[in-house]
Amino acid sequence: MELELPDGTKLELADGATGADAAAAIGAGLARAALAVKVDGEVRDLSRPLSGDGPAKLEVITERSGDDALALIRHDTAHVLAAAVMELYPGVKISIGPAIENGFYYDFEFPEGVTVTEGDFDAIEAKMREHIAADEPFVREDVAAGDALERFLSEDQDYKVELIEDLVRNQGVHSVSLYTNGPFTDLCRGPHAPSTKRIKSFKLQSVAGAYWRGDAANKMLTRVYGTAFFSKRDLDEYLERLERARALDHRRLGPQLGLFTFSEVSPGSAFWFPAGTRVFNSLVALSREMGAERGYTEVKTPQLYDSSLWKTSGHWDKYRENMFLTESEDRPLGLKPMNCPGHAHLFSLRRHSYRDLPVRYSEPGLLHRNEPSGTLHGLLRVRHFAQDDAHIFCAEDQIQEQVAACLEFAFATYAVFGLDVRLELSTRPEQRIGREELWDKSEAALTAALEAQHLEYTLHEGDGAFYGPKIDMHMTDSLGRSWQLGTVQLDYNFPERFDLTYTGADNAEHRPVMIHRAIMGSYERFIGILLEHLAGELPVWLAPVQAIVLPISDRHGDYARAVEARLREAGVEAEADERTESVGRKIRDAELRKVPYMLVVGDRELQTGEVSLREHGKGDAGSVAVGEFIDRVRSEIRARSAR
């Protein structure tokens, strides 16, 4: 057989040669380092024959192969975890244990009365290290499905039995693969590294409940999460990043800073305290101000619509399971999960001329999505939220100009927060509506708009919205995580489905094009991302309390209140801390609240009419006249400094 290596070199091997044979033919060092091979994009065990018709592309996977290598040893570690658990807890039933992003997990049903917690991890890890030190090979065996069924039935492993029965019934398989490492044999497609000793550093991290196959009607299993790396250094760095991420988790910062909280009376919906509401409203005000400068007009559309609207838009078929549905007078109704169908209908309620175009509707409208409870995550995944949503109705010859204007709006917004973004063009998904020629036109138009602006972008095939392609904007936060922020989506389908028209210069009816545009996206999600990115240290213009006055003793209270009043009259969000605590304690508490400015007032300040200024995270900044400080803060607020 002929193989092609990544550098284009050709490699000839005898028919039936394995991945290990290929690595050895390239070099002895590579053979020792090899973990697996990738044949035409498929990762395979070293011991498996390299079968295939015609020349195949071959890559040998080693520790340096990035995600492919990490996925291998993490899958290996999941099997080692299962082996250790079966030894320590006789009678345990095993289900599945895949590698996932950043680690692995395995789901178990423990015997009656047995509960495994993080306190048991030391014992489990010790047993796992025994299996790793034993250098147990991962041995693959392809067996008849019936034989595998008999084996797992005899071992009382119900979940494996169910998986095999489903494979036979739904996919018509006749044989399955089993992998054995030491005393443990699992139903598994593979691949695996040659032996357990390739696992260098691992850590069990947490325990959670997980329904079998993700179905709440099934039994709740115990899911043990962990991770694995090729070096202790990499593991330690990862765990350190995790610890920092926990400290910066917006679900901790929000309540700590008095911004928001959550309650089970309304799952997936934030309850905003006054301070958080000020932050939220400041972002909405920024959207409104910047939008008005760019020709957007704000509209207000209903929350509840007849099912006919959702059928017209296509959401009734494509999105209904994620909608909150109700009925009135035997009419099925749905709460809106997005603004676009309402805006399309609004456009249809008036006649439009070509002179009106582009029409730009914006609406920070409230939305509701019926997200599964298991996916809810603070402000990042909610059921109730508002978006900085806008829809542009324009003529075809205005597309490039309007897409460019949307991107300029986005870049200007992100610059306020000091965020750098990268662009991604997403094309037609498998599940979509509309004719192929419309998709061809819309994808070509977005590509042309990007290239006309000489903007760099990556292509993400198949990830567009079900009604049109899109340009997504991504940023990387201070913890190295990637977030999608805004989107610009080009849509020929909605105007056609809603029969939208405008009167052209030729006095004939023409079909507009619709651009869906969000920049911050959900305000809730944007706040969550911003809190974690900035470690809760919001810029002065966005901080709910911009300055706090700290009297040294009770006799300075009147002056502190007078300073607070001057600040408030000047439009600065201020408060005075008149608690009977030491000024040191007040400073410490203000630092924990991440208040940008602390104004200490005592006898000297009372006599001079000044304040002793402290900046959050920086300390003493000297004495300053109250008026001078007001000018400084107002300047920062007007400029919306990203500080």
Side-chain angles (χ1 to χ4, degrees):
M1 71 181 76
E2 184 177 271
L3 303 165
E4 182 182 332
L5 302 180
D7 64 359
T9 302
K10 297 295 190 292
L11 179 68
E12 291 192 3
L13 296 172
D15 289 341
T18 65
D21 294 331
I26 298 170
L30 184 61
R32 288 191 296 272
L35 296 169
V37 290
K38 184 184 283 189
V39 184
D40 287 339
E42 179 192 2
V43 181
R44 308 185 69 169
D45 302 332
L46 288 175
S47 59
R48 292 187 66 188
L50 300 171
S51 57
D53 297 327
K57 293 185 180 295
L58 175 77
E59 178 186 347
V60 178
I61 295 175
T62 69
E63 290 184 11
R64 298 181 179 181
S65 299
D67 290 343
D68 286 333
L70 284 172
L72 271 172
I73 63 156
R74 287 168 177 169
H75 191 185
D76 295 349
T77 313
H79 279 232
V80 172
L81 166 63
V85 167
M86 291 190 75
E87 286 186 279
L88 292 170
Y89 302 94
V92 68
K93 296 181 188 292
I94 56 174
S95 60
I96 57 172
I100 56 175
E101 185 179 8
N102 296 323
F104 62 88
Y105 69 78
Y106 212 111
D107 289 347
F108 303 98
E109 181 189 333
F110 287 97
E112 187 79 25
V114 175
T115 301
V116 169
T117 69
E118 293 178 18
D120 300 301
F121 282 178
D122 285 346
I124 298 173
E125 288 177 348
K127 182 61 70 173
M128 291 172 68
R129 282 191 286 271
E130 291 178 15
H131 287 283
I132 292 170
D135 197 14
E136 297 165 349
F138 285 96
V139 179
R140 178 187 173 104
E141 182 183 8
D142 292 301
V143 301
D147 293 342
L149 266 176
E150 282 187 29
R151 173 179 186 137
F152 288 114
L153 276 168
S154 69
E155 295 174 356
D156 201 24
Q157 292 295 343
D158 305 341
Y159 300 104
K160 299 299 179 184
V161 169
E162 182 178 330
L163 289 170
I164 296 170
E165 288 176 340
D166 284 355
L167 287 171
V168 172
R169 180 173 53 252
N170 299 329
Q171 298 182 29
V173 303
H174 299 291
S175 66
V176 295
S177 55
L178 307 180
Y179 279 83
T180 299
N181 53 288
F184 175 65
T185 299
D186 203 356
L187 173 72
C188 179
R189 287 179 298 185
H192 284 278
S195 76
T196 58
K197 205 162 189 177
R198 299 301 183 99
I199 302 167
K200 300 295 172 55
S201 287
F202 72 93
K203 181 70 178 172
L204 299 184
Q205 296 172 280
S206 61
V207 175
Y211 291 112
W212 169 234
R213 292 189 154 178
D215 188 340
N218 291 336
K219 190 173 183 64
M220 176 74 79
L221 304 179
T222 299
R223 176 168 294 178
V224 178
Y225 285 98
T227 191
F229 288 88
F230 286 108
S231 72
K232 186 177 185 303
R233 177 182 174 181
D234 288 345
L235 175 62
D236 289 344
E237 287 178 354
Y238 171 74
L239 295 176
E240 186 178 331
R241 288 196 303 273
L242 273 187
E243 196 55 42
R244 186 169 172 231
R246 287 191 194 98
L248 301 183
D249 192 322
H250 74 280
R251 293 170 297 178
R252 296 177 61 180
L253 287 172
Q256 175 188 320
L257 300 177
L259 302 179
F260 58 83
T261 190
F262 290 89
S263 170
E264 278 305 306
V265 302
S266 185
S269 304
F271 285 75
W272 293 89
F273 296 119
T277 304
R278 284 199 292 272
V279 174
F280 192 99
N281 288 342
S282 293
L283 292 180
V284 176
L286 175 65
S287 297
R288 283 179 166 142
E289 178 185 315
M290 296 183 73
E293 294 170 352
R294 291 165 172 80
Y296 287 86
T297 53
E298 188 168 328
V299 297
K300 189 172 175 60
T301 54
Q303 286 283 297
L304 199 60
Y305 294 91
D306 187 272
S307 62
S308 60
L309 180 93
W310 305 117
K311 290 174 182 175
T312 300
S313 69
H315 287 93
W316 198 254
D317 293 328
K318 302 289 184 182
Y319 203 80
R320 183 171 29 170
E321 64 186 34
N322 291 107
M323 294 172 62
F324 287 102
L325 306 177
T326 185
E327 64 175 45
S328 176
E329 299 176 344
D330 297 325
R331 294 178 66 186
L333 304 163
L335 279 173
K336 64 178 178 182
M338 63 279 296
N339 291 307
C340 31
H343 286 188
H345 184 70
L346 180 64
F347 184 90
S348 75
L349 297 178
R350 279 185 176 177
R351 293 184 61 83
H352 294 276
S353 160
Y354 71 95
R355 296 186 181 89
D356 301 325
L357 302 185
V359 171
R360 305 180 187 92
Y361 290 154
S362 67
E363 180 178 10
L366 296 177
L367 305 174
H368 291 82
R369 295 183 183 176
N370 190 12
E371 303 284 3
S373 59
T375 67
L376 299 177
H377 184 84
L379 297 178
L380 304 182
R381 191 74 174 267
V382 290
R383 289 176 173 168
H384 164 84
F385 59 99
Q387 280 188 313
D388 66 334
D389 222 356
H391 295 92
I392 301 164
F393 302 88
C394 65
E396 270 196 295
D397 61 5
Q398 296 173 320
I399 289 174
Q400 282 198 32
E401 176 188 0
Q402 293 307 308
V403 170
C406 288
L407 294 174
E408 180 277 327
F409 191 171
F411 297 150
T413 301
Y414 302 142
V416 172
F417 303 94
L419 305 178
D420 293 320
V421 296
R422 61 189 182 279
L423 305 180
E424 183 177 272
L425 173 62
S426 298
T427 57
R428 68 195 78 186
E430 285 189 20
Q431 299 296 319
R432 58 184 180 268
I433 59 174
R435 304 191 310 275
E436 290 305 292
E437 58 264 31
L438 294 181
W439 280 92
D440 292 340
K441 288 174 68 174
S442 55
E443 288 176 359
L446 281 188
T447 302
L450 287 167
E451 294 181 350
Q453 298 295 310
H454 305 291
L455 294 169
E456 293 185 5
Y457 66 93
T458 57
L459 184 64
H460 194 177
E461 295 184 359
D463 198 49
F466 74 85
Y467 47 77
K470 58 180 181 169
I471 300 169
D472 289 333
M473 286 149 274
H474 299 258
M475 60 85 74
T476 300
D477 71 8
S478 58
L479 293 172
R481 300 169 303 184
S482 179
W483 300 98
Q484 186 211 318
L485 297 178
T487 188
V488 179
Q489 304 172 353
L490 184 59
D491 184 0
Y492 280 85
N493 285 303
F494 265 35
E496 187 172 271
R497 294 174 77 94
F498 282 90
D499 194 23
L500 305 183
T501 61
Y502 67 92
T503 304
D506 58 359
N507 214 33
E509 295 294 293
H510 297 269
R511 185 84 68 206
V513 179
M514 186 174 179
I515 298 172
H516 307 244
R517 188 237 69 194
I519 293 176
M520 296 184 205
S522 148
Y523 290 108
E524 285 82 352
R525 184 171 176 273
F526 189 78
I527 290 171
I529 292 170
L530 205 60
L531 285 172
E532 297 190 3
H533 177 57
L534 300 176
E537 298 181 3
L538 298 174
V540 173
W541 70 271
L542 191 56
V545 177
Q546 293 159 335
I548 186 166
V549 189
L550 309 177
I552 291 176
S553 67
D554 290 347
R555 67 178 181 275
H556 307 120
D558 289 343
Y559 181 56
R561 286 189 292 275
V563 172
E564 177 195 8
R566 281 191 65 184
L567 294 172
R568 286 187 168 278
E569 287 170 8
V572 178
E573 292 290 348
E575 63 180 52
D577 184 350
E578 297 187 69
R579 295 176 301 159
T580 56
E581 300 282 357
S582 69
V583 72
R585 175 62 183 271
K586 292 178 182 180
I587 290 172
R588 176 181 174 276
D589 290 347
E591 288 283 357
L592 290 174
R593 291 175 62 188
K594 304 182 187 296
V595 179
Y597 292 114
M598 288 150 269
L599 311 180
V600 180
V601 295
D603 290 337
R604 186 173 62 80
E605 289 76 23
L606 182 59
Q607 293 171 359
T608 62
E610 297 179 331
V611 292
S612 181
L613 178 63
R614 293 184 64 89
E615 296 185 40
H616 169 64
K618 297 180 180 178
D620 187 12
S623 295
V624 62
V626 176
E628 183 181 338
F629 173 72
I630 287 173
D631 290 342
R632 171 178 174 174
V633 177
R634 291 180 65 179
S635 175
E636 288 188 61
I637 293 170
R638 283 193 301 271
R640 289 197 173 99
S641 168
R643 168 192 175 276

